[in-house]
Amino acid sequence: MINSVILYDDQDEELGYFYHACVDSFEQCDNLESYDTHSILKLDSDGVNSNSLSEVLSGINENKFIYLNFTHGSRDAIYLNHEELISPTKNYYILSNALVYTFSCLAGNELADILIQNNALTFWGYTEEALVNPSYYDKFVTCAMYGIFSFLAGATIKEAYNNTIECMNITIDEIYPKSVLAASFLEEDRDALIVKGDESLSISDFCLS
């Protein structure tokens, strides 16, 4: 049994389509079929606030779980519908025992440190703006999700990070002749991608009996 929670802003005017595509790709990941049971709870833009998120995560965070976040962020907060959901003063403790995997601008700075200090296992995310080029959504979805797919396939966090950087480099070389702008966006994402916390974890650590 593996527990995953996904929070995504499907109604965001700029990135809602991209966030939704990332979530769809996770649900369709072939590697999920390797596990007898994988519980996936999806939370979208409707009806989620800081209180409801706290209630949901407090019910599962006694054990290890995977938390994926596709919303806007800042150096010290994650947002949905213009509300701070997780910050230094709000819900900073609810990701205890979580692998926190984000595509949120800037959240890899102070927020990542605070979450790790409050018993999040690992934080995966970006220290700068997480950029997307709409003409190459499929390529950016692949790169954004490559780490979690590698992890589900058996890689450690460190290995998944290295695999993602390699995927990004290959994709940059592929799209550069077609769009220097798109390639530069992906280069910035690559350079901003960080991991904090325990890099030795693998999916077997999240399998509950």
Side-chain angles (χ1 to χ4, degrees):
M1 174 73 168
I2 298 171
N3 286 325
S4 295
V5 177
I6 308 174
L7 176 67
Y8 66 113
D9 189 355
D10 60 322
Q11 296 180 16
D12 183 77
E13 292 183 3
E14 182 182 1
L15 290 174
Y17 178 85
F18 175 80
Y19 294 149
H20 207 300
C22 288
V23 174
D24 287 346
S25 71
F26 182 77
E27 290 187 296
Q28 296 163 12
C29 176
D30 292 339
N31 291 326
L32 292 180
E33 298 176 2
S34 303
Y35 307 101
D36 292 335
T37 308
H38 190 150
S39 171
I40 302 174
L41 175 61
K42 296 195 302 182
L43 306 172
D44 60 23
S45 302
D46 287 329
V48 177
N49 56 39
S50 58
N51 291 332
S52 63
L53 182 64
S54 175
E55 184 175 339
V56 167
L57 295 184
S58 295
I60 66 170
N61 65 7
E62 290 185 1
N63 297 302
K64 293 184 177 71
F65 70 103
I66 299 170
Y67 174 80
L68 297 96
N69 193 99
F70 304 99
T71 69
H72 287 292
S74 67
R75 294 183 64 92
D76 61 359
I78 285 171
Y79 300 88
L80 183 66
N81 297 326
H82 305 292
E83 179 192 4
E84 283 188 1
L85 295 188
I86 303 173
S87 73
T89 59
K90 185 181 292 185
N91 285 340
Y92 54 87
Y93 50 85
I94 61 173
L95 293 174
S96 174
N97 286 319
L99 161 58
V100 183
Y101 190 98
T102 73
F103 192 91
S104 300
C105 292
L106 301 165
N109 293 289
E110 288 90 337
L111 180 63
D113 296 333
I114 289 165
L115 295 179
I116 295 298
Q117 290 165 12
N118 285 275
N119 300 317
L121 301 174
T122 307
F123 183 96
W124 178 295
Y126 300 83
T127 56
E128 302 295 338
E129 290 188 14
L131 302 175
V132 175
N133 187 290
S135 298
Y136 292 88
Y137 264 153
D138 57 335
K139 302 294 186 184
F140 278 77
V141 168
T142 296
C143 291
M145 300 302 292
Y146 204 85
I148 195 65
F149 292 163
S150 292
F151 182 75
L152 290 172
T156 65
I157 295 292
K158 184 176 182 62
E159 291 167 343
Y161 174 83
N162 291 335
N163 292 343
T164 300
I165 296 299
E166 181 179 3
C167 174
M168 287 176 152
N169 286 335
I170 291 171
T171 306
I172 289 165
D173 290 343
E174 178 185 342
I175 65 178
Y176 184 85
K178 306 169 188 176
S179 173
V180 174
L181 180 62
S184 70
F185 278 15
L186 196 52
E187 284 179 336
E188 292 189 42
D189 286 347
R190 177 199 63 197
D191 295 344
L193 181 62
I194 56 92
V195 172
K196 295 182 178 180
D198 190 348
E199 298 183 27
S200 69
L201 292 170
S202 68
I203 190 63
S204 62
D205 295 307
F206 291 78
C207 295
L208 307 178
S209 57

